[in-house]
């Protein structure tokens, strides 16, 4: 009789089911150290997986869900691996929230993914619910600069390789060059150091008739020395050949401003080429720190580095082009050399000192 | 008739509808993770008999038992997750070419539920090669042939059941098929006769037979009889997805919109009812119609993101009656028609073709109906609009009086008209 009962059910052809099968939604956004994300998992799926309805009243309450947070988080995380070039990243979950999607309530697990060496290629191995539901899918969206990259992971395809680079090399070059310009413009410490070096440019020759030449010679020498120096250390640091503690770098940069200020105060007439070069080295490490804070695809690191450096140079040139005519005009007046320069020198040195103290103490 | 046509009759309505849509779209766009107000907030309901065993069965016996239970749960709840559970429960046997008979049978049912009819038929042919006297395989194959509109093959399988199962099952099977081949009244009469003679019927068997009778009555335009049969079917056993949605469709056709809303209110967990409830809400111009439509829209969008979405007749109805996209609805309906040829599948093709002004696209459907002598008052009314002569009752009909005549047409409402 049992076979009849079972057979009977099959007489009616089942209607296509309007329900959507099970999906989870994993959203990731790249950060300096890995990814930030949100993972939405249907409560309806967690029920057979770990059993949420403790009191068996067929209702899942927020209390029941909340009390199982640790279990839910460890169940989910044990089924997700995010890998940054062969080494697994650390996945942490924050306090869960709830989201009502069109097909029911989902738990929302905020994710913080930390990769020790956060370098390409990144990949994901996903196995949530695949052991119990062959039709489950993991829908992954990686949000970057442009449209999000999406992946649909299934028991047959549990792996996704993320490409974070996104923009074309040309675009990337422009972005990085712009970052370089921007950095030197907002980086007051680099600006002050450069100004302290530039102010006495061309002061050796008092002869008006010699025109721009001595001044330009000084400026070119100074800027070249500074550029060569910081390019060397920027490259060494960005390629991870040399690395110094950030606090040491920042403090030394502040001290370099003190030195440049004092030098301006007491030895005006000779261009400070050696200062420009030696402290240029430490400023290069400073630029490298900025670069490290930005998410750089390691595949195009050299290009990014070059572009950033070009940007720094362009920013420097702009400063030089803005200040030179002013210096040339101002130095005709005795006031400039007698009063303005010593005052400026003291001011710069004081600011540098204040920063040094702040950076040592802070 | 589409809703946009109705709405445009009253100036201002489309604007209001657009506003409501916009608001609900905004509301859903703003939907964001939140912290429920208190521990007592109910976030979800768990269907009865939900599976909690997450362990994959190790032996064939427990694997097939588990998978069969999952397929049964899928049938009752209409939730395809259970088909995924069933597939997983079968484990290594799922993909095995030379799987044992019980696995082949369950695999065929899973394919059938997923509307992969050709794959289901491969498995069923194999099952019948392994065991020609397997009633379950023959019954399932008859059901698939019937849905595909292959009525002669379905009838052969129904006849093949005669010596394997009790008469009522065979007659039910044969009645279904012959009612679609121009013998609706005779099939109805025979089945009622046998049903009245049988006693001590199992509740599920009773429900199956009442649903057959309801379906035939509906097609013959005998709404009162259909309602009675649905009533018995619904009270025979706890509700299942298929019974609820066919009953809701019947109520929509009868314009019993508030009953549809009540049904959805009672069984909100049945996703198939959402489309029906949305259609009813729009017909009644209830304020939450926009929100229901938006939920439906998001569900389809979410399903499409999975990458395995196949247009169904419900999707075509959604496009036609809710989105007002007649051309897209026609495309979806025609895709569905390629694999599935029940009267409801034919109706949506013809309705979409009329709405899209592409009546020629419905020609294959009209031909199919004419060649098989399929009787359905709703289809007859629609085909009249296509300027295709409606089916003339054939000499097979024992009681021509019960068969529809042109006089029925004005009662016919293929879809809720607002």
């Amino acid at each position: 009789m049992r076979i009849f009962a079972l057979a009977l059910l099959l007489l009616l052809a089942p209607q296509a089911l309007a329900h959507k099968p099970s999906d989870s939604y994993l959203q990731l956004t790249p950060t300096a150290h890995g990814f930030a994300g949100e993972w939405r998992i249907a409560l309806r799926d967690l029920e057979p997986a770990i059993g949420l309805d403790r009191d068996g009243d067929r209702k899942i309450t927020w209390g029941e869900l909340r009390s199982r947070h640790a279990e839910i988080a460890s169940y989910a995380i044990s089924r997700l691996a995010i890998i940054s070039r062969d080494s697994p990243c650390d996945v942490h979950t924050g306090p869960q929230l709830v989201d009502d999607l069109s097909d029911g309530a989902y738990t929302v697990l905020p994710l913080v993914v930390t990769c020790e060496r956060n370098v390409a290629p990144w990949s994901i191995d996903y196995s949530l619910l695949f052991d119990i539901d062959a039709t489950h899918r993991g829908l992954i969206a990686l949000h970057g600069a442009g449209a999000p990259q999406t992946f649909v992971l299934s028991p047959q395809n549990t792996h996704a390789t993320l490409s974070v680079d996104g923009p074309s090399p040309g675009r990337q070059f422009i972005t990085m060059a712009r970052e370089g310009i921007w950095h030197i413009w907002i980086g007051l410490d680099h600006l002050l150091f450069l100004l302290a070096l530039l102010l006495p440019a061309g002061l050796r020759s008092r002869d008006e008739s010699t025109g721009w030449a001595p001044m330009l010679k000084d400026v070119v020498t100074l800027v070249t020395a500074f550029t060569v120096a910081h390019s060397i250390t920027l490259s060494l640091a960005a390629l991870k050949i040399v690395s110094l503690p950030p606090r040491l770098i920042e403090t030394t940069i502040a001290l370099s401003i003190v030195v440049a200020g004092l030098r301006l105060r007491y030895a005006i007439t000779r261009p400070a080429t050696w200062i420009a070069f030696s402290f240029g080295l430490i400023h290069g490490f400073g630029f490298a720190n900025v670069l490290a804070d930005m998410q750089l695809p390691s595949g195009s690191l050299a290009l990014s580095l070059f572009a950033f450096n070009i940007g720094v140079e362009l920013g420097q040139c702009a400063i030089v082009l803005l200040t030179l005519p002013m210096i040339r005009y101002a130095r005709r007046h005795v006031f400039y050399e007698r009063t303005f320069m010593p005052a400026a020198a003291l001011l710069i040195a004081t600011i540098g000192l204040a920063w040094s103290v702040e950076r040592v103490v802070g | 008739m589409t809703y946009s046509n109705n709405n445009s009759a009253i100036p201002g309505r489309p604007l209001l509808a657009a506003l409501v849509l916009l608001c609900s779209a905004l509301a859903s766009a703003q939907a964001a993770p939140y912290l429920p107000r208190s521990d007592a907030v109910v976030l979800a309901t768990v269907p009865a008999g939900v599976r909690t065993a997450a362990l994959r069965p190790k032996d064939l016996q427990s694997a097939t038992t588990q998978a069969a239970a999952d397929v049964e749960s899928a049938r009752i709840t209409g939730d395809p997750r259970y088909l995924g559970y069933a597939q997983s429960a079968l484990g290594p046997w799922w993909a095995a070419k030379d799987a044992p008979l019980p696995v082949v049978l369950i695999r065929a049912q899973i394919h059938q539920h997923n509307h992969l009819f050709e794959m289901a038929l491969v498995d069923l042919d194999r099952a019948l090669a392994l065991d020609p006297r397997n009633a379950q395989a023959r019954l399932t194959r008859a059901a698939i042939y019937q849905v595909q509109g292959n009525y002669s093959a379905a009838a052969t399988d129904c006849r093949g059941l005669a010596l394997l199962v009790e008469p009522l099952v065979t007659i039910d099977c044969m009645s279904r098929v012959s009612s679609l081949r121009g013998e609706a009244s005779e099939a109805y009469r025979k089945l009622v006769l046998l049903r009245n003679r049988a006693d001590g019927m199992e509740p599920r068997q009773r429900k199956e037979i009442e649903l057959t009778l309801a379906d035939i009555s509906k097609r013959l335009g005998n709404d009162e009889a259909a309602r009675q049969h649905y009533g018995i079917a619904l009270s025979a056993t706890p509700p299942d997805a298929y019974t609820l949605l066919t009953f809701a469709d019947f109520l929509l056709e009868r314009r019993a919109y508030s009953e549809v809303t009540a049904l959805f209110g009672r069984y909100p967990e049945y996703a198939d009812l959402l489309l029906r409830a949305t259609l009813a809400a729009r017909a009644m111009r209830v304020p939450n119609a926009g929100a229901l439509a938006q939920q439906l829209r998001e569900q389809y969008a979410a399903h499409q993101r999975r990458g395995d979405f196949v247009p169904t007749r419900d999707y075509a109805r959604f496009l036609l009656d809710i989105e007002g996209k007649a051309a897209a609805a026609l495309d979806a309906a025609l895709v569905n028609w390629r694999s599935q040829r029940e009267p409801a599948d034919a109706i949506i093709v013809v309705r979409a073709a009329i709405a899209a002004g592409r009546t020629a696209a419905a020609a294959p459907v009209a031909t199919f109906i004419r060649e098989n002598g399929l009787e359905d008052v709703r289809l007859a009314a629609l085909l009249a609009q296509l300027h295709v002569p409606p089916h003339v009752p054939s000499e097979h009909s024992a009681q021509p009086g019960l068969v529809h005549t042109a006089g029925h047409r004005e009662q016919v409402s293929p879809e809720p008209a607002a």
Side-chain angles (χ1 to χ4, degrees):
Chain A
M1 208 51 212
R2 199 182 148 272
I3 184 92
F4 288 172
L6 191 59
L8 253 177
L9 306 173
L10 305 173
L11 188 54
L12 283 172
Q15 158 88 353
L17 304 167
H19 267 290
K20 179 179 74 59
S22 153
D23 294 317
S24 93
Y25 302 95
L26 176 60
Q27 315 259 349
L28 293 173
T29 310
T31 62
H33 309 292
F35 299 92
E38 276 179 352
W39 196 0
R40 284 169 172 75
I41 304 170
L43 301 189
R44 190 58 197 74
D45 287 332
L46 287 172
E47 177 59 29
I50 59 176
L52 295 174
D53 183 23
R54 273 287 169 82
D55 57 7
D57 66 350
R58 294 182 49 206
K59 290 184 172 67
I60 300 172
T61 62
W62 169 235
E64 283 170 322
L65 183 64
R66 201 172 48 81
S67 66
R68 305 295 293 283
H69 175 66
E71 256 175 288
I72 295 167
S74 73
Y75 178 82
I77 285 175
S78 67
R79 283 154 177 84
L80 176 72
I82 297 179
I83 297 134
S84 164
R85 193 191 281 172
D86 302 331
S87 58
C89 304
D90 189 41
V91 182
H92 262 288
T93 56
Q96 70 180 333
L97 295 169
V98 174
D99 199 1
D100 292 321
L101 301 186
S102 64
D103 66 336
Y106 284 62
T107 178
V108 183
L109 296 173
L111 298 184
V112 177
V113 182
T114 314
C115 307
E116 201 180 337
R117 288 173 63 236
N118 191 29
V119 286
W122 291 269
S123 63
I124 289 182
D125 278 312
Y126 179 102
S127 58
L128 185 79
L129 294 166
F130 287 161
D131 52 340
I132 59 169
D133 183 353
T135 52
H136 175 76
R137 297 289 179 267
L139 273 66
I140 295 169
L142 177 67
H143 300 275
Q149 291 175 59
T150 55
F151 304 88
V152 180
L153 298 185
S154 65
Q156 287 75 42
N157 173 31
T158 61
H159 186 84
T161 303
L162 314 177
S163 57
V164 178
D165 51 21
S168 68
R171 215 165 155 87
Q172 206 178 325
F173 189 92
I174 292 169
T175 309
M176 290 309 298
R178 195 180 290 150
E179 286 292 334
I181 297 174
W182 181 240
H183 184 67
I184 191 113
W185 274 88
I186 61 159
L188 258 184
D189 39 10
H190 307 302
L191 215 60
L192 275 184
F193 181 73
L194 206 58
L195 266 183
L197 297 179
L198 285 179
L199 285 180
L203 276 189
R204 273 172 305 162
S205 79
R206 302 283 159 137
D207 186 358
E208 286 288 326
S209 64
T210 49
W212 288 88
M215 186 173 170
L216 283 179
K217 191 177 162 238
D218 284 0
V219 169
V220 168
T221 316
L222 278 169
V223 170
T224 307
F226 185 62
T227 301
V228 168
H230 75 61
S231 299
I232 293 171
T233 45
L234 173 58
S235 308
L236 288 176
L239 297 172
K240 297 191 163 65
I241 297 169
V242 181
S243 105
L244 294 178
R247 183 184 278 200
L248 178 67
I249 295 168
E250 294 305 315
T251 311
T252 317
I253 287 176
L255 281 174
S256 77
I257 297 167
V258 179
V259 172
L262 291 178
R263 157 87 203 187
L264 180 62
R265 175 73 184 80
Y266 296 109
I268 302 172
T269 49
R270 288 177 58 81
T273 313
W274 64 272
I275 294 182
F277 184 83
S278 53
F279 284 107
L281 289 173
I282 204 76
H283 280 255
F285 282 115
F287 295 141
N289 274 351
V290 176
L291 213 54
D293 285 345
M294 296 161 54
Q295 184 76 28
L296 281 189
S298 63
S300 51
L301 188 65
L303 178 78
S304 304
L305 197 60
F306 181 62
F308 187 79
N309 222 335
I310 292 280
V312 170
E313 299 327 323
L314 286 175
Q316 246 171 236
C317 286
I319 292 162
V320 168
L321 287 178
L322 272 177
T323 49
L324 269 194
M326 288 195 276
I327 294 173
R328 182 168 154 81
Y329 173 78
R331 69 174 191 175
R332 290 182 194 161
H333 308 277
V334 183
F335 169 78
Y336 178 70
E337 202 181 328
R338 290 277 165 82
T339 316
F340 177 79
M341 287 224 329
L346 271 181
L347 187 66
I348 290 171
T350 312
I351 293 173
L353 194 66
W355 277 341
S356 308
V357 173
E358 188 184 67
R359 287 170 189 184
V360 168
V361 176
Chain B
M1 231 189 286
T2 64
Y3 289 95
S4 50
N5 288 344
N6 289 331
N7 284 343
S8 58
I10 307 163
R13 280 279 177 189
L15 186 67
L16 189 67
L19 267 176
V20 169
L21 270 180
L22 185 69
C23 290
S24 55
L26 283 177
S28 73
Q30 282 167 359
Y34 64 93
L35 202 62
R37 279 191 309 277
S38 84
D39 279 2
V41 173
V42 175
L43 302 171
T45 52
V46 181
V50 72
R51 188 164 133 199
T52 46
L55 280 180
R56 190 177 278 205
K58 296 274 189 297
D59 62 294
L60 184 64
Q61 175 65 41
S62 55
T64 48
T65 307
Q66 180 69 72
D70 287 331
V71 172
E72 171 69 358
S73 297
R75 189 189 65 80
I76 292 173
T77 62
D79 187 342
R81 280 179 170 88
Y82 290 104
L83 301 175
Y85 300 160
Q87 187 179 331
S88 291
L90 291 179
W93 293 290
W94 169 260
K97 281 247 176 345
D98 55 347
L101 182 63
V103 171
V104 175
L105 280 175
I106 293 169
R107 204 162 61 186
Q109 292 170 45
I110 295 172
H111 287 322
Q112 181 196 18
H113 274 274
N114 284 326
H115 280 221
L116 301 168
F117 295 134
E118 294 308 321
M119 290 170 80
L121 286 176
V122 168
D123 271 340
L124 291 170
D125 290 348
R126 183 174 151 69
L128 286 166
L130 289 170
D131 175 13
R133 294 177 55 82
N134 190 296
Q136 189 182 323
R138 209 164 282 284
L139 204 46
T140 309
R141 200 169 69 174
I144 291 175
Y145 282 143
Q146 184 210 307
V147 170
Q148 288 185 321
N150 189 350
Y151 300 136
S152 56
T156 307
D157 272 337
C158 289
R159 275 196 298 275
L161 286 170
L163 296 173
L164 304 174
V165 296
E166 57 184 299
L168 210 50
V169 175
T170 311
I171 294 295
D172 190 18
C173 186
M174 305 245 276
S175 300
R176 280 192 160 262
V177 178
S178 58
S179 77
L180 295 163
R181 303 171 85 190
E183 299 171 25
S185 305
E186 172 67 4
Y188 181 84
R189 197 183 56 79
K190 269 190 190 167
L191 190 56
V192 167
L193 216 70
L194 214 73
R195 176 199 72 166
N196 291 344
R197 259 190 263 151
D199 45 23
M201 226 188 295
E202 210 206 294
R204 279 188 290 191
Q205 196 171 32
R206 176 176 298 280
K207 179 170 72 184
E208 298 287 319
I209 287 165
E210 294 302 327
L211 285 177
T212 307
L213 293 171
D215 183 60
I216 302 175
S217 307
K218 189 162 79 172
R219 282 189 278 123
L220 290 174
N222 193 348
D223 284 354
E224 275 319 303
R227 186 180 265 280
Q228 282 174 20
H229 292 305
Y230 278 123
I232 305 172
L234 281 163
S235 58
T237 68
D240 65 274
Y242 180 80
T243 308
L244 286 175
L245 85 89
T246 48
F247 182 53
D249 278 343
F250 169 73
L251 292 175
L252 275 179
E253 284 163 13
R254 296 209 55 188
R255 306 189 191 189
Y257 303 128
S258 52
E259 282 184 74
V260 177
T261 306
L263 199 66
F264 181 61
R266 204 152 60 237
Y267 304 109
E269 67 272 28
Y270 288 88
D272 304 283
L273 290 183
L274 179 61
L275 171 69
R276 281 82 188 167
T278 309
L279 290 171
R282 294 197 114 194
M284 293 191 292
R285 303 189 190 283
V286 181
N288 75 335
L292 290 173
Q294 182 59 24
Q295 192 187 347
L296 204 55
R297 198 171 290 126
E298 285 171 15
Q299 279 185 7
Y300 281 120
H303 201 156
Q304 281 163 345
R305 279 198 288 276
R306 284 173 55 91
D308 60 356
F309 180 76
V310 178
T312 59
R313 67 180 178 224
D314 272 8
Y315 181 61
R317 279 172 81 181
F318 161 75
L319 288 175
L320 180 64
D321 295 326
I322 290 168
E323 303 291 60
K325 295 176 179 168
L330 179 58
D331 291 342
L334 286 170
V335 168
N336 174 62
W337 179 254
R338 280 208 293 265
S339 64
Q340 189 167 316
R341 299 181 169 188
E342 291 186 292
D345 302 303
I347 287 171
I348 186 62
V349 173
V350 180
R351 286 185 55 233
I354 293 170
R358 284 167 52 195
T359 48
V365 176
T367 307
F368 174 87
I369 291 162
R370 196 171 51 245
E371 284 178 354
N372 286 288
L374 196 150
E375 295 155 88
D376 192 314
V377 287
R378 303 161 299 175
L379 271 169
L382 284 166
L383 291 180
Q385 294 184 48
L386 284 181
H387 308 295
V388 173
H391 169 64
V392 179
S394 64
E395 64 277 19
H396 298 298
S397 299
Q399 289 168 281
L402 272 182
V403 177
H404 74 88
T405 60
H408 281 94
R409 263 181 235 150
E410 51 268 31
Q411 304 167 7
V412 169
S413 158
E415 272 301 317

